[in-house]
């Protein structure tokens, strides 16, 4: 206990020390300090102490402190004492860096979830007023940001006061304040009744979407989404909200168009499909053909979800959307095509077999022919969507070419990713077709120059045996691994041992005898000491899945290795032998 208190004392000293690295480390352990000294001392001594940390401390240190305070509810004695954290949060609510003020808002949001009581609301209201009446932009920024937390837990008179102040924030000269006010409006809408939505929130939306700063206008997109989600009146949405969203989708600022495209499905999902077709299809198609590749790219990621919203109208998808897909599949920007690859395969179940074969398949094949892994990998990961509609045959050559290209990709991470896809692809093949087209490629990865690729190949083979069965594993896998154990490269012999161990739980004792045990014994005589050591360290795990006769063979192998010429091999053999004896 004395040693622990000494450690805590050191951490507290470091909090006000000169070394910024030590201060950061100590900040990361403030929960430990609070837990050790107890809730009362945390409230009365430790929180005030933390409040004295230099205000010009590094931003990342202050961010960490403010973030950790959201986890202090129990450490200060429960929800009735949560307000004891307010003085320190009030201090950083005016911090110069916006990221710190944003974190103060997030922390207060978390604390309000733990403490939805009148006492908390009372203190939060006082917190809000203190911030409002400071002259600094930073304090008003935070005050505006916490309004949604405050609003739902105060009385009508206080709500009226808060909304009056919020109106001022909406008209503030500072772009930063108007921006946070617009963000706040999108959250407040979800708390308003219909009258407030129409009389208070809607005029604010109309004001913001005409703001002269695009950083403010871009926030109105989320406000439109909140209106569509919360306002249960399609006619008002049709007449008031959709026209604003249409204008945002045609904005001069590409950043606004980007977010309009990204949010299109979130906005549309609360509307009926006829409204979507009539009012939003054309803006969405225009965004897919936007001059900026970033806008086209994010639109492509939304393609499947948008088609899902209008799936009752497959003819519209075929006649209006698929021609755009044709243009996008040959786009000059790789990012656009990689985003399209995420959606293009998933559309097949929506339009059906005939339309996929007639209108969509050629565009899918076009993307498969691309050299880029960023395009090919999403296509392969989602193959099951199209396979369940048209089968694998129409795409077979394109798929195999794509897999072969990825298997030789210069970036080993891409080779790992395609290996991870093989078990998914295997579900689309019968055993004969898989053996014909892919089994040799699968085993080629066992001799890759990168260890992570070889290791992933082992995990892949394990999953393939689970798919095709033990008999397939015994017939096609085990002979290949035995062959690998005789490879001239000792690294490949090592991966053979790794594979034997990984496959043991699913193949079981019936397969781990005869040739396999002979191979393992032979590896115990490998000329490379590291291989013998690796085998020794694998024997305990392997012995869990073999019969007693084979265990005796391994025991004799361990005994012989205790007399090995290499002292490291002798050491590990002795250690392993002792462990096996204790278990027996």
């Amino acid at each position: 206990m004395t040693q622990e208190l000494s450690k805590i004392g050191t951490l507290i000293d470091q909090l006000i020390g000169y070394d910024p690295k030590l201060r950061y480390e100590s900040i990361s352990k403030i929960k430990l300090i609070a837990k050790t000294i107890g809730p009362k001392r945390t409230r009365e001594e430790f929180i005030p102490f933390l409040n004295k940390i230099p205000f010009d401390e590094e931003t990342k240190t202050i961010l960490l402190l403010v973030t950790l305070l959201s986890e202090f509810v129990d450490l200060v004695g429960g929800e009735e004492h949560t307000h004891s954290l307010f003085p320190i949060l009030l201090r950083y609510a005016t911090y110069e860096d916006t990221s710190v003020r944003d974190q103060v808002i997030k922390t207060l949001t978390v604390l309000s979830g733990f403490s939805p009581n009148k006492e908390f609301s009372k203190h939060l209201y006082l917190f809000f007023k203190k911030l409002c009446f400071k002259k600094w932009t930073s304090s008003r920024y935070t005050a505006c940001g916490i309004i949604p937390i405050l609003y739902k837990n105060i009385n009508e008179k206080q709500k009226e006061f808060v909304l009056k102040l919020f109106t001022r924030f909406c008209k503030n000269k500072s772009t930063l304040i108007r921006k946070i006010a617009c963000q706040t409006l999108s959250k407040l809408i979800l708390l308003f009744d219909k009258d407030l939505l129409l009389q208070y929130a809607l005029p604010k939306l109309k004001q913001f979407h005409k703001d002269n700063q695009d950083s403010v206008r871009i926030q109105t997109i989320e406000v439109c989404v909140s209106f569509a989600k919360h306002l249960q009146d399609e006619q008002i949405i049709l007449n008031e909200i959709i026209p604003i969203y249409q204008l945002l989708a045609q904005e001069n600022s590409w950043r606004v168009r980007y977010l309009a495209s990204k949010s299109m499905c979130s906005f549309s999902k609360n509307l009926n499909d006829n409204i979507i077709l009539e009012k939003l299809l054309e803006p969405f198609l225009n965004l897919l053909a936007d001059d900026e590749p970033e806008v086209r790219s994010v639109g492509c990621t939304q393609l499947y979800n948008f088609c899902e919203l209008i799936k009752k109208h497959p003819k519209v998808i075929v006649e209006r959307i698929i021609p755009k897909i044709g243009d996008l599949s040959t786009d000059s920007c790789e990012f656009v095509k990689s985003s399209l690859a995420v959606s293009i395969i998933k559309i097949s179940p929506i339009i059906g077999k005939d339309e996929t074969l007639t209108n969509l398949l050629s565009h899918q094949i076009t993307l498969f022919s691309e050299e880029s892994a960023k395009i090919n990998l999403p296509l392969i990961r989602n193959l099951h969507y199209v396979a369940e509609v048209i089968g694998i045959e129409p795409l077979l050559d394109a798929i195999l070419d794509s897999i072969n290209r990825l298997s030789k990709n210069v970036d080993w991470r891409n080779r790992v990713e395609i290996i991870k896809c093989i078990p998914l692809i295997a579900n689309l093949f019968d055993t004969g077709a898989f053996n014909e087209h892919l089994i040799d490629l699968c085993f080629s990865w066992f001799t890759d120059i990168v260890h992570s690729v070889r290791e992933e190949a082992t995990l892949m083979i394990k999953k393939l045996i689970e798919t095709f069965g033990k008999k397939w594993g015994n017939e096609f896998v085990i002979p290949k691994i035995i062959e690998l154990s005789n490879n001239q490269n000792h690294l490949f012999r090592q991966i053979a041992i790794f594979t034997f161990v990984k496959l043991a739980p699913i193949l079981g004792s019936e397969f781990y005898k005869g040739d396999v045990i002979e191979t393992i014994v032979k590896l115990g005589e490998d000329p490379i000491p590291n291989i013998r050591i690796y085998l020794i360290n694998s024997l305990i795990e392997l012995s869990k899945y073999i019969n007693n006769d084979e265990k005796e063979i391994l025991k004799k192998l361990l005994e012989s290795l205790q007399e090995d010429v290499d002292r490291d091999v002798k050491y590990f053999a002795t250690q392993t032998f002792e462990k096996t004896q204790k278990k027996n």
Side-chain angles (χ1 to χ4, degrees), residues 414-432:
N414 289 327
R415 300 202 296 277
V416 167
E417 288 304 313
I418 189 57
I419 292 171
K420 288 179 179 177
C421 293
I422 294 297
L424 301 175
I425 297 169
N427 291 317
L428 308 176
F429 286 81
D430 59 36
T431 308

Side-chain angles (χ1 to χ4, degrees), residues 400-415:
L400 294 176
D401 288 345
S402 177
I403 292 172
N404 276 307
R405 278 197 308 274
L406 288 165
S407 71
K408 299 169 186 173
N409 195 282
V410 292
D411 187 339
W412 65 267
R413 294 170 187 83
N414 289 327
R415 300 202 296 277

Side-chain angles (χ1 to χ4, degrees), residues 13 19 22 65-66 167 196-197 240 261 263 273 325 343 389 395 417 423 425 455 462 580:
D13 288 341
D19 189 332
L22 290 178
L65 171 61
V66 175
T167 299
L196 269 176
L197 284 172
E240 301 286 356
S261 184
S263 303
D273 48 359
I325 290 175
S343 294
V389 178
L395 281 167
E417 288 304 313
I425 297 169
E455 194 171 279
K462 182 179 177 182
T580 55

